[in-house]
Amino acid sequence: MRTWYRYIAFIILLLGISISASAQAYDGDLDRKISAGYLNVGGRSGVELCYDWGMSDWVSVGMKGSVLFIGKSESDDEPDFVNGVDLSFPVDIHWDDALKLPSTIDFYTGVGIGSRVFDVHSGLRYSLNETFGLYAQAQYNILRTFERITDFPSLYTRKIQVSLGLTINID
């Protein structure tokens, strides 16, 4: 259980980039964020790293990498590390302006297509200050995409995914 704390700390240390001073949870056009956090897919724990780029006041696109913690595979009938990795590309619609939410809150919904699944998701970001914030996201992985069919069930397909973590505004 303590292992994922090390992954998050390592990811944050790797982010040796300039950090902006934007006080809003979502600034719209050209808003850029990096998020890292804990991930749970159908009862399996993991970590995720996300990049989100604002295209307009309402729409953002991004890239997300997820890794589930899987023990060493003893046979070909069990999933291994490669089966726990997913790279996806989400498109989100931000509802702060329409719902007249405070500038520190960003509520979004979206879809994503990845190396393992096609998903629908919804999330909330809360800005703690100009640099850091928190996020929570719920996702349902609807369809299998490019994942090959194996003897063991998919680790992602038709499962609920929950994420919690830290968001960093970048400039």
Side-chain angles (χ1 to χ4, degrees):
M1 183 75 170
R2 288 184 30 206
T3 307
W4 70 273
Y5 290 114
R6 291 185 209 152
Y7 285 109
I8 292 173
F10 180 70
I11 290 168
I12 291 171
L13 288 174
L14 287 178
L15 298 176
I17 53 180
S18 64
I19 298 175
S20 74
S22 100
Q24 295 182 327
Y26 180 72
D27 292 334
D29 193 25
L30 300 179
D31 181 47
R32 297 184 303 157
K33 296 185 183 327
I34 291 179
S35 304
Y38 170 76
L39 168 71
N40 188 301
V41 180
R44 290 188 183 261
S45 297
V47 294
E48 71 178 3
L49 180 63
C50 311
Y51 175 76
D52 191 49
W53 181 47
M55 301 293 289
S56 70
D57 288 342
W58 290 78
V59 178
S60 69
V61 296
M63 188 166 75
K64 176 170 73 170
S66 305
V67 178
L68 294 178
F69 301 134
I70 299 173
K72 187 174 181 180
S73 178
E74 299 297 325
S75 70
D76 291 339
D77 296 335
E78 296 177 24
D80 55 12
F81 176 79
V82 173
N83 300 109
V85 176
D86 183 38
L87 178 64
S88 63
F89 300 93
V91 177
D92 297 328
I93 297 175
H94 300 265
W95 299 101
D96 342 344
D97 292 339
L99 298 175
K100 306 222 182 293
L101 296 174
S103 64
T104 56
I105 296 175
D106 174 28
F107 174 67
Y108 61 92
T109 57
V111 297
I113 184 144
S115 59
R116 304 248 175 240
V117 292
F118 174 77
D119 70 77
V120 292
H121 57 265
S122 181
L124 183 74
R125 289 189 190 110
Y126 179 73
S127 180
L128 298 171
N129 58 33
E130 295 90 23
T131 306
F132 296 103
L134 302 173
Y135 79 94
Q137 179 175 299
Q139 171 176 316
Y140 183 68
N141 301 320
I142 301 173
L143 301 171
R144 186 183 297 232
T145 54
F146 305 107
E147 181 179 42
R148 67 184 177 95
I149 296 175
T150 58
D151 292 335
F152 55 87
S154 171
L155 298 174
Y156 286 94
T157 307
R158 293 186 191 98
K159 298 211 168 89
I160 294 176
Q161 178 171 322
V162 177
S163 310
L164 302 167
L166 180 68
T167 298
I168 301 172
N169 291 329
I170 59 174
D171 195 13

